[in-house]
Amino acid sequence: AQTVTQSQPEMSVQEAETVTLSCTYDTSESNYYLFWYKQPPSRQMILVIRQEAYKQQNATENRFSVNFQKAAKSFSLKISDSQLGDTAMYFCAFMKHLVDGNQFYFGTGTSLTVIP
Amino acid sequence: NAGVTQTPKFRVLKTGQSMTLLCAQDMNHEYMYWYRQDPGMGLRLIHYSVGEGTTAKGEVPDGYNVSRLKKQNFLLGLESAAPSQTSVYFCASRPGQGFSQPQHFGDGTRLSIL
């Protein structure tokens, strides 16, 4: 079974500073996708960034970037120039391909608070 | 753009009652998913569907049934609600098998079982 672990239940960061959220996963698959989702108080799940396991280059989306270490099965999210709107719950997710579809596995989340 | 719409947004049930949660998507997506979100547990997959007329069990399927009679709708049913099913339920959809395609989520349904 796939497991996704987020070891930081809560984190805080000063506005304009940089913060890194950690995620590790366990799988025997060789090809898979990893995602970070953001869930603000509005409860909506919003895709932040995604990474293909076979790509060595780390994904970047504006202020968001990942540090993907495939051998270590680590997928951390770095938020640069933190903004108040970044305050949310962040979920790391793993997707594997099945013959009859794709399954997603989510971590337990990290609650991030950006302090003005 | 409506995207993924969940109905209802809130509901309170008594133990033993039944109800159906509706998920509708207007993006012509093939795959649809139902998750539950509990404090400290993250999102857990209940059931999913890879196309009209097909369903499959996820991580926590017990106590739930689903149907995908129309491509745009994915229904989640509770035949006899139990307090352990108190949770926030999320529906998601994605275009298909392509690895690069993320899920699109609805806004969730908060369900309380008394």
Side-chain angles (χ1 to χ4, degrees), chain B residues 49-102:
Chain B
S49 168
V50 299
E52 181 178 321
T54 73
T55 62
K57 293 180 179 180
E59 183 183 358
V60 288
D62 294 341
Y64 305 95
N65 57 77
V66 288
S67 65
R68 185 99 181 267
L69 299 179
K70 293 182 178 181
K71 186 177 183 179
Q72 63 268 34
N73 295 336
F74 194 30
L75 279 64
L76 177 70
L78 287 72
E79 289 187 350
S80 180
S84 61
Q85 294 176 304
T86 293
S87 188
V88 179
Y89 292 85
F90 283 93
C91 176
S93 71
R94 59 195 298 268
Q97 287 245 13
F99 245 163
S100 65
Q101 297 162 340

Side-chain angles (χ1 to χ4, degrees), chain A residues 14-68:
Chain A
Q14 290 290 139
E15 192 175 6
E17 296 295 311
T18 296
V19 64
T20 299
L21 281 58
S22 66
C23 173
T24 59
Y25 58 94
D26 185 24
T27 185
S28 58
E29 304 286 332
S30 59
N31 195 20
Y32 47 86
Y33 252 82
L34 296 162
F35 302 85
W36 278 98
Y37 281 90
K38 168 185 176 182
Q39 187 180 38
S42 66
R43 211 169 64 190
Q44 188 179 12
M45 294 284 284
I46 303 165
L47 176 68
V48 175
I49 197 166
R50 57 189 164 188
Q51 174 80 41
E52 302 169 47
Y54 64 88
K55 284 189 176 180
Q56 293 186 344
Q57 186 174 6
N58 289 325
T60 300
E61 289 286 343
N62 300 315
R63 299 183 294 108
F64 299 88
S65 61
V66 299
N67 183 7
F68 175 48

Side-chain angles (χ1 to χ4, degrees), chain A residues 2 6 31-33 35 37 39 42-47 50-52 54 89 91 93 95-109, chain B residues 9-10 31 33 35 37 40-45 48 50 56-59 88 90 94 96-110:
Chain A
Q2 275 62 224
Q6 295 179 247
N31 195 20
Y32 47 86
Y33 252 82
F35 302 85
Y37 281 90
Q39 187 180 38
S42 66
R43 211 169 64 190
Q44 188 179 12
M45 294 284 284
I46 303 165
L47 176 68
R50 57 189 164 188
Q51 174 80 41
E52 302 169 47
Y54 64 88
M89 196 78 167
F91 291 95
M95 185 188 79
K96 72 172 184 177
H97 171 66
L98 300 172
V99 173
D100 60 348
N102 302 91
Q103 281 203 15
F104 285 77
Y105 299 86
F106 286 81
T108 53
Chain B
K9 296 190 183 304
F10 305 95
Y31 288 15
Y33 306 79
Y35 295 91
Q37 183 180 29
M41 297 291 287
L43 284 161
R44 292 184 292 168
L45 182 64
Y48 65 102
V50 299
K57 293 180 179 180
E59 183 183 358
V88 179
F90 283 93
R94 59 195 298 268
Q97 287 245 13
F99 245 163
S100 65
Q101 297 162 340
Q103 295 177 99
H104 299 255
F105 283 87
D107 291 340
T109 295
R110 184 175 294 279

